Amino acid sequence: MRLDTLELVRYGHFDGRTLEFRKAGPADREIDLQIVYGPNEAGKSTIREAISDLLFRVKPQSKMTFAVRDVLKIGARATVAQVPVEAYRLKKNKEDLVDAQDRPLRDNPFAAVTDGFDRAGFEQTFSVNRKQLESGGELILKGEGDLGQLLFAGTSGLQGLPEKLSELNERASAIWSRKGGASARVLVDAIKEIDQRIRELQTTQGAYDGKRREVDRLAAAFENARTDYAAVDAEIRRVSGRLNALNPYRDKLRVLNELDTLGAGETASEEEWERLARIVNELAGLEARLGTTKETKEALEEQHEATPEADPILGFRDAVGELAKMAEKIREQRLSRPKRETEADDARETIARVLRELDLEIGADAANLALPTRAAGTLTDLLKKRVELVASQETAEQEVESAREKLDEATRTLGSLPTADDPAALRAILKASRERDLSADHRDASRAIAGRREEIVLAMKSIGLSPDKADWLNGFDLPGTDAVERLELRLRRAGEEVGKLEAERTQQVKTAAAAEDDLKSLGEVVVLSDEALAAALASRDEVVRALRGNLSAERVEDLRGRLAASIADADRIFEERIRNADRLGDMNAAIRSRDRARFTGERISTDLEIAQRVLQEVENDVSSFVPDGSVGVSGLLGIRALIAAQAVVRSALAKVATCSSELQEITSAASEWAAGLRQAMVEAGRAVSEDAKLSVVQNLAEEWIGTLETRGRDHALAEARTTEAELDLNRRSEKLARLTSDLSDWETAFGEAIAGTWIPAETPPGQVSDILARLPELAEARANLRTAVHRLTRMDEDASTMAERLEAFLDASGIAIPGELAGADFAMVIDHLRDRLDIARERNQAAKALAERIDALEDTISTLGQQIADKRSEVADLVERFGDPSFSELSQLVRAGIKRHELQESLAAHSHAVMKALGVTTVEEALALMSATDEDGLRAEMVGLEADRSRLNQERDESGRAHAVASAEFAKMTGSDEIARLIQQRESLKVELIDQIQDYIRIRAGERALNWALTRYRQANKAPMLEAAGRFFARMTDGRYPELITQPGNKGDMLVAREGTGVLKDVDALTEGTSHQLFLALRMAGYLELARDRQAPPLILDDILSSSDEKRTGAMLEALADLAEEVQVIVLTHHAFVLDIAQRAVEGRHSVIRLDEAA
Amino acid sequence: MAFRFIHTADLHLDSPLKALRRRNADLADAVGVATRTAFERIVERAIEDTVDALLIAGDLYDGTTRDVSTGLYLADCIRRLGAAGVHTLIVLGNHDAESVIKPPFASVDHLTVFKPKAGTVRFEEVQVAIHGASFRDSQVPDDMVSGYPEPVPGWVNIGLLHTSLGGYAGHAAYAPTTPARLTDKGYDYWGLGHVHKSQVVQEGREDRSWIVYPGIPQGRDMGETGPGRAVLGSVEDGRVAIEWFDVGPVVLERVPVRLPDAASIDDVRLEVRTIAEAVIGAAGPEQSIIRPELEVPAFLVPALHRVRDELLDLVQTNVLARAGRISVEKIGLVAAGEARDSVEGHNETLMELTGLVRDHAAGDADLVAEIARDLDGVLSKLPADVRREPELDTPLTSLEPDRGGDVGAWLETAVREAAAAIAGTGGEERP
């Protein structure tokens, strides 16, 4: 695309301004370099913005409307794909591309230009500003002469691609392990945590069914234990009932029998009796209470005495409690044992599976299948390193192969070149032969001879002689100039005389004519006379002309004759007519007049004749000078011509003679030089024909020197290339050797690294890599296994510790355990101890309570004794008053009555119990049975039963506890939604994780593929772009760096500049200014590369020339002018000195548009 | 006397919602038990309306469910129904057959779980017969209808069946049948399950039966949008009538938002309010999770992809400013126009690199293997079920031509995004 004009209709501070871009240079080689100059604020940046706005669209936030009357409008007349277009852009959301009349355009005429670009990408690609130039130069100087990146930056305008790709890589890595955020790793950990929690909470169908069956089984066991216990307990009660029933019942029966002996007391007054009865009653009550109390006390004392010694276990309450607590903990641990074992099995299975999948047969303990972090890290690093090394080695091998091929090719090329002789000698002779330009001399001499010969020919031709008469003319004796002048004088005078006579005769003829007019009436006589006169005059005129000219003498004579004849004819005819026409009145006058005229005419004719004779004589004299009739000139003029021609001929011949001599000398010299050159040529290996002229030989020599020089250069180049290829091969071979050595080192390091691990030494790296990849899984399984095993071990240890502590305790405390518990599980022993402690504690508390009660009863007895004494004292007064009955009788009577009643009641209760205990219905039967009962047998049976009951009690309690635990666990298996919530949390984490991993995958794959494509791109674009960039760079550096080439570097091909001397210079060693030039050259080449394949806009260079010195700026302009021969280049500048430099550097090859001038 | 019933199916109890991201923490509580809540609402409605029967046409829970608490919960609910006099009738679907969970139904009264051999439950007083048969295995390729009992003459006959009903592509292995065959059976109402979209396949008349899919009560992903519903049916004078009621506590919706004129990311940012309003417009009275799907010019898609999270925040903030019960799931992107047009960065050189990848990268086995190795390395760090997700499995498949992967196309997509990131200009103006 070419911009022909830019129409700033209403845009920024421009109002109706048109910028016209005219090409410079001749029509057949037009140059499209446009320098747009405007001081600051003149709108230079506006121009750049305007072009982008036109091609894309006006940004909504555009500020270019601030100074316009109406809406913004920008347009252009341009040529796109050889088609002229005119289009304008308005600031609108839709239909913003219009024609000059603001009618919307259906198709975008710039589509082919902008296709494939957005605005930013477009500006980046097709324009260069100062900042880009500087950062591009910096990129080069930073040592990043990586060709691929530079070519890419050159074409795309995008710099720093490696950094950007690296950023992408980091972005991908950060997804996995970014700090302080929800990285993928954190999400994975969170998911694993939830999975662990779910596993803990989850109840599988199998677990549920198993637990249900266990609860049922334990319930049945508990029920059985309870039944068994109840049965034994009932039996104990029965036996105990029998034993307990015997003695008290006998005692009660005896007391009851004693009551029969008691008689009735004395009768007293009603009032006294009542009083006595009351007192007796109260006394009886008190005594009864006293008796009861005493009995109770005795019974309690008996009981107290019967209380066995306090169990020594009571002294070890805390120790037993501690043991029980530990035992409880171990019991809980035991409950979780199956789960731990399952975990261990799972972990083992995982490890085994992973090992199977890894195709590993490791004899080592699975729990040791881990690598220390450092070893794993080392191996990972080594494997990564190996991948790099192997890749580098492959590359290096290819490079060596390629370098070797190049060397072979270079050697072949060198071998195929002909030997190059030094053309110095030949050049010296040639130079010497050219010191005098013999050709030019020869040419000049020949030209001079030819010129003289030409003069001779012309001179000879002017006198009607052939050129070969020149020598004759040269030797011919001609009068001198003075003689010719004299002749001329005579001739002039004779001519004047003839002229005068002729004039007179003309007068006479006129007179005769007048007479003739008078005689017209005479008809044809006059006519005849006139004709005759005319004929005579013509003859005379002819004669005169002949005299003045070069008429021959015969011709003059002939004319004169004809004149006389004409006059005679006229006279004759006139006279005949006069005779025949006498009627005319004034015929005589006419005749007289005519006669006078004739007379005068005759006289004049005579004079004329004389004059003519004189003239003839003179002419004869003149003719005498002319040698013969072969000369094509006559008369005086002829003599003069002859004289002139002779002078010319003489001079020319003299010159010709001189030149011929010179020519001969030149020819001779040329022959010598030619012979010398031929000889030198032969010596330089080139035969030349003997007859070849000097110039031919010189040309051949020059050509041969060129050939020899080319050969020499080719040879030198080929040698240099061979050397370079050798060096390259050496370099690459060294690199390969280094890599091979590195690989060998690597093998050693790898062997050492692997030797420190459990991985078999012969495991190939690939498999080690697989192993490392699976290490987390192995580590997790191993950790699980270790945890589970550790827990199991700890359980066992705890159990063992427990048993030891128990044993220690038993030893230390001296507490004996029942024989049946010998060798039993410590838990059972501890349960036993706990129960025994409970019982001892209960007994102890009971004994204490008993003693307290006995003390209390003693107090009561004492109190009652005092009360009874008081009552007795009171009753004694009464008995004394009544005299007869003694108090003791009364008291006895009352007490006997009271006691009888109590005994009867007690007996009734006992009777019932005894009947029941003994299984009889009457007292008699009971008594009979009691007398027959074996009390010792019953006691022995009781001991056996109590042992049974203790055992069953334990069984019942244990099964009850087990049932309770199982039931509680079963009860925990509910329709809880906890797991559902956890799964939902997990799902949310998973969705997020998938998003992140998708991002990771896309970014990582994109980055890898882009890197790959970049390498390809470099290969594809290297040659044409390098060639073009090299050309521009050479121009910009004024030939200091005639070529850009590549050579292998650490990061692939690197760009190197070749100096004119052949020295190669790394681009990062260039000066800052030169690096800017190199970057610009690359951008120009990139632009050219793009522009060859598509419709490209003008290349816009914004203020890039101001930072360089004049020489450099001029050189850059020259390069831009070169580019402008192919494409349109617009340079924006606000420095007037750039215009001055352009004027000097690219005069006539650029156009200037000044924004500070009116349109 | 009228007979009333509720027909539901595909409870998928305790199945998680795939549409919820962590950012929607406020919703997490509701969503965590959404499938239970939906079923809870059905149970409550059954008890409140004192219906006679609750019919469940299969798929009580996901086939992958391993925890019995789901079954225990279901059994509790059915126990509650039984206590209220509601008889629950269940046919097991493919997921149930697949599942290892066996709820403790033995101890539950008022429950009928149909066997694989079809059976009938008769409601004598109202002369209604309910027929059903369960899936024996997770796949039943045969039409099960022929095995169903003949209708009880003079009674209202209801069939419960888990079926893909033939016409639904991708469901062929699930007791396929046709509406015509169902009608020919002579039942009055076919209560179906398996298809998650609620619909009346055929309206009941004198000569033909109702055929109804109640749909999933609670949708779980963006393929199951709209309110979850159940059918309330009544039988009176030998005729069946139905009505629908909503049960799902969380409604999922996708709402298309067309932005054909957007030329840059900023243009899309300016439309956030429009997007938010579309989201609000698509939400129902329940808690809603909405995915706006932006239809934008293809070239904008990769660039928008990079700022999708930012857009999501913007839209969510805008939505929350107007309505509190709506959560924006994510921003969907739909490319309008030619895919080829969607070159990121709009830099021709980058395009050339993209083209190189598209046309030649697939042929470089080393490159493909290197990328595959890298992806494998990352995937191996993930939990197995995550690794198997199609979104992550597909890239790997794409790198394996033997498995039908289009390596070039996939790499091209990846490179476009990378190119967009590198150019850093994606989404700027375009002619």
Side-chain angles (χ1 to χ4, degrees), chain A residues 133 1036 1076-1084 1101 1104 1116:
Chain A
L133 192 73
M1036 284 185 208
H1076 293 176
Q1077 289 176 313
L1078 174 57
F1079 182 74
L1080 180 61
L1082 283 164
R1083 289 298 311 273
M1084 287 162 71
L1101 303 158
I1104 61 158
M1116 284 158 95

Side-chain angles (χ1 to χ4, degrees), chain A residues 584-715:
Chain A
L584 294 176
D586 52 354
M587 181 64 79
N588 289 331
I591 288 168
R592 277 191 305 273
S593 178
R594 189 196 62 187
D595 286 346
R596 266 196 313 273
R598 283 180 66 188
F599 176 73
T600 307
E602 280 171 2
R603 189 182 47 84
I604 289 170
S605 290
T606 306
D607 291 345
L608 187 58
E609 236 171 84
I610 292 163
Q612 281 171 341
R613 267 200 303 279
V614 170
L615 187 60
Q616 187 60 50
E617 284 169 6
V618 175
E619 284 186 348
N620 286 342
D621 287 347
V622 169
S623 297
S624 69
F625 287 112
V626 180
D628 56 32
S630 62
V631 178
V633 292
S634 61
L636 190 61
L637 285 176
I639 291 170
R640 283 185 182 282
L642 269 177
I643 289 170
Q646 189 182 49
V648 169
V649 168
R650 277 184 175 160
S651 161
L653 283 177
K655 185 73 179 171
V656 164
T658 311
C659 287
S660 293
S661 159
E662 203 176 317
L663 205 56
Q664 198 171 358
E665 188 265 329
I666 287 168
T667 308
S668 165
S671 297
E672 279 175 30
W673 280 116
L677 263 180
R678 260 200 304 277
Q679 181 60 32
M681 287 277 279
V682 169
E683 284 167 9
R686 173 80 156 90
V688 182
S689 164
E690 285 294 328
D691 54 357
K693 301 278 188 235
L694 174 63
S695 60
V696 173
V697 181
Q698 278 177 326
N699 287 341
L700 286 172
E702 188 169 5
E703 194 180 298
W704 189 236
I705 287 168
T707 305
L708 288 177
E709 280 174 347
T710 307
R711 279 187 191 173
R713 272 199 304 277
D714 288 351
H715 219 273

Side-chain angles (χ1 to χ4, degrees), chain A residues 983-1032:
Chain A
I983 290 175
Q984 182 61 57
Q985 281 177 25
R986 188 185 190 280
E987 192 60 37
S988 297
L989 290 168
K990 186 171 151 184
V991 169
E992 204 166 319
L993 178 61
I994 288 171
D995 277 355
Q996 296 209 9
I997 298 298
Q998 278 185 306
D999 279 351
Y1000 174 90
I1001 288 172
R1002 277 195 304 270
I1003 294 173
R1004 183 76 86 174
E1007 181 266 330
R1008 290 281 153 92
L1010 256 187
N1011 245 326
W1012 173 90
L1014 193 62
T1015 308
R1016 285 291 198 105
Y1017 180 85
R1018 179 185 62 198
Q1019 301 293 349
N1021 292 279
K1022 181 171 148 181
M1025 265 190 77
L1026 260 194
E1027 189 275 321
R1031 190 155 41 88
F1032 292 131

